Amino acid sequence: MTRSLRDKTLFITGASRGIGLAIAKRAARDGANVAIAAKSVTENPKIPGTIFTAAAEIEAEGGKALALPCDIRFDEQVANALDRTVSTFGGVDILINNASAIDLRGVDLLEMKRFDLMHQINARGTYLCAKLALPHLRKSENPHILTLSPPLDMNPKWFAPNLAYTMAKYGMSLVTLGLAENLAREGVAANSLWPETAIATAAVGNLLGGDEIIKRARKPDIVADAAHAILTRPSRECTGNFFIDVRVLAQEGVTDFAAYSVDPGHEAVLDFFLEEPISANVRKSAFHGGR
């Protein structure tokens, strides 16, 4: 098996921008086919990028792209998007569950409609996409499901400040946990991947601290390179893992992560689902109680 995604078909949810787009572009540089399943069909000044601009970027990197308007809350839309992917590219080799909704308000302030939205997109959407993609993945030589969700940890501190969001993200991780065990004999890999630090995306900038947090973030490329390393491993030998990006890259021989820094002059901020920094020049956030 070569360490390339050439001619592989990836179905990526939420790939119009951010980490999803970075994973798509990394695959495109190998000559992969990428189906972009996302809601963004018109430009939003606060969150730039659409499925059509993403498709253009993917094709500029050497891949083939299919822009699919798709809201993963709705079964029929996901089924239709997968059908179009198969009819265009001949199958599906990889499912990337990247689409996610975030709202960090606590129980007193969060409206139930926002609670429902996060669970519909994060937990249910991940489950639905896996369910509908499985018949196609089973036909692939090296099938992978990769979900962008954190490692599971039942320490109450991860739940207390933003209970609804943690429940929804952990719901995605539970899909990985269950599918990995369920599909092991069939050779369909199911893994989760999570960044060590804040990642410079529009969502992080808009919701978690603006320009200041972006300066202390890493580029989405670090997650994309880690995803590429996972997806090019044999699926029968790589399943049931809750990967952290820097640990994956260290396994590939990459231990200097300075090139991924948005601003190398600032320490990166540790993601709030992780207990301690893993690599150099990473500091805890206020959520962790400082250093």
Side-chain angles (χ1 to χ4, degrees):
M1 187 183 126
T2 114
R3 298 302 298 273
S4 171
L5 294 174
R6 184 172 184 80
D7 296 327
K8 298 295 185 183
T9 296
L10 289 75
F11 185 93
I12 309 180
T13 66
S16 56
R17 60 179 71 93
I19 290 173
L21 179 56
I23 293 173
K25 291 168 68 174
R26 178 63 187 86
R29 289 197 287 276
D30 284 356
N33 309 314
V34 183
I36 309 148
K39 295 189 298 180
S40 303
V41 294
T42 57
E43 284 286 356
N44 181 336
K46 294 183 179 180
I47 312 178
T50 70
I51 57 174
F52 306 111
T53 60
E57 291 184 49
I58 289 163
E59 291 181 346
E61 294 284 357
K64 295 178 181 177
L66 178 63
L68 296 167
C70 180
D71 186 332
I72 65 168
R73 292 177 295 171
F74 300 104
D75 304 20
E76 185 176 350
Q77 290 190 32
V78 175
N80 289 341
L82 282 163
D83 286 345
R84 283 192 59 195
T85 301
V86 172
S87 64
T88 302
F89 297 127
V92 177
D93 300 291
I94 293 165
L95 167 66
I96 306 289
N97 288 309
N98 170 70
S100 186
I102 180 171
D103 194 315
L104 297 178
R105 286 178 292 173
V107 66
D108 291 320
L109 298 176
L110 185 75
E111 304 97 335
M112 289 309 297
K113 67 178 182 180
R114 293 295 299 177
F115 178 99
D116 292 342
L117 178 69
M118 283 191 285
H119 283 75
Q120 288 164 355
I121 293 174
N122 299 4
R124 186 185 188 279
T126 296
Y127 184 98
L128 173 65
C129 289
K131 173 183 175 64
L132 297 184
L134 268 174
H136 307 295
L137 292 169
R138 287 186 172 110
K139 299 175 185 177
S140 172
E141 293 180 357
N142 195 50
H144 280 266
I145 298 171
L146 185 63
T147 299
L148 278 296
S149 65
L152 292 165
D153 184 342
M154 292 297 107
N155 188 322
K157 77 175 188 176
W158 306 123
F159 295 85
N162 35 254
L163 175 58
Y165 177 64
T166 298
M167 290 172 65
K169 288 305 290 187
Y170 273 26
M172 297 173 73
S173 298
L174 288 171
V175 173
T176 292
L177 187 71
L179 287 182
E181 181 71 15
N182 192 39
L183 301 174
R185 291 184 181 178
E186 298 182 67
V188 180
N191 295 289
S192 282
L193 174 63
W194 198 244
E196 178 193 17
T197 69
I199 299 296
T201 64
V204 167
N206 290 338
L207 299 173
L208 300 181
D211 291 342
E212 186 58 33
I213 191 68
I214 294 297
K215 289 179 185 177
R216 300 181 181 278
R218 286 175 175 158
K219 301 171 187 175
D221 294 345
I222 191 169
V223 185
D225 287 347
H228 183 274
I230 295 165
L231 299 172
T232 53
R233 294 176 181 177
S235 59
R236 289 186 178 275
E237 301 172 16
C238 177
T239 192
N241 301 287
F242 290 91
F243 289 114
I244 304 300
D245 56 1
V246 292
R247 287 183 173 144
V248 175
L249 293 176
Q251 292 170 353
E252 301 292 320
V254 179
T255 55
D256 183 355
F257 307 112
Y260 295 110
S261 299
V262 171
D263 185 342
H266 288 82
E267 291 179 302
V269 174
L270 182 67
D271 183 85
F272 60 69
F273 277 120
L274 301 183
E275 187 73 53
E276 296 288 344
I278 300 167
S279 61
N281 300 314
V282 177
R283 67 172 176 84
K284 294 182 179 181
S285 68
F287 175 86
H288 300 91
R291 294 181 184 274

